[in-house]
Amino acid sequence: MAGRTVGRMDDDGRYEQRVVWAVVDTGIGPLLLAATREGLVNVVFHATDEVRDKALSRLASRLGSEPVEEPGSPLLAEAIRQFEAYFAGERHLFELPLDWSLISGFNREVLRELATTVPFGTVVGYGDLAGRVGQPGAAQAVGMAMGANPLPVVVPCHRVVESGGGIGGFGGGLETKRRLLALEGVLPEPLF
């Protein structure tokens, strides 16, 4: 229904935050996707039962609402479709509303810059990205921002590499980073 607000009213007459989630199987393993009315709020790598349960507990604590498994939710349906198309090699750009509430300050600024200026099939150095947000010399802080990214893949922290040609670190693990960069044509596909 158009204009319908999702959720229940709290004791003060405000609508509670509604958080829905689903696990999607991908070429890099299961990903947990979580969304609010604002948009996609969290993507979690390696969403085994234990990882998923910890992530959902953190989300409940941070957002003040118990996440509900609802893969058919309109809040998630488009995100799931776009992730499937991305991993099938049919989509190069995510066009999803994002809920940035899990990150703020410098980290949010860096991640927004990354999301809007580093397209599919390209990479940027940590130092270069620091310079783009007016903080030359803050390469290490950019690395910390990448590690704090609540929306990996959509906000493509896998595209940030060392200036000397090294792959750099990655919260989802280096093999996951290599596979994402190979999917985007930056690295060759592994032989085995």
Side-chain angles (χ1 to χ4, degrees), residues 159-172:
R159 297 180 190 153
V160 183
V161 298
E162 295 174 351
S163 59
I167 194 168
F170 193 61

Side-chain angles (χ1 to χ4, degrees), residues 91-174:
R91 174 174 278 281
H92 294 174
L93 176 67
F94 287 94
E95 298 174 294
L96 297 168
L98 301 178
D99 178 339
W100 292 91
S101 63
L102 295 179
I103 197 142
S104 62
F106 176 78
N107 290 355
R108 183 188 289 192
E109 182 182 0
V110 168
L111 291 171
R112 282 183 183 260
E113 178 70 18
L114 171 65
T116 58
T117 67
V118 183
F120 182 95
T122 66
V123 294
V124 65
Y126 293 96
D128 293 336
L129 190 53
R132 289 183 186 190
V133 296
Q135 298 291 327
Q140 192 170 16
V142 167
M144 298 297 283
M146 296 306 105
N149 182 4
L151 295 161
V153 185
V154 176
V155 178
C157 52
H158 60 279
R159 297 180 190 153
V160 183
V161 298
E162 295 174 351
S163 59
I167 194 168
F170 193 61
L174 291 181

Side-chain angles (χ1 to χ4, degrees), residues 39-40 75-76 78-80 82-83 93-98 154:
L40 192 66
L75 299 173
L76 284 174
E78 181 61 17
I80 291 169
Q82 289 189 30
F83 268 86
L93 176 67
F94 287 94
E95 298 174 294
L96 297 168
L98 301 178
V154 176

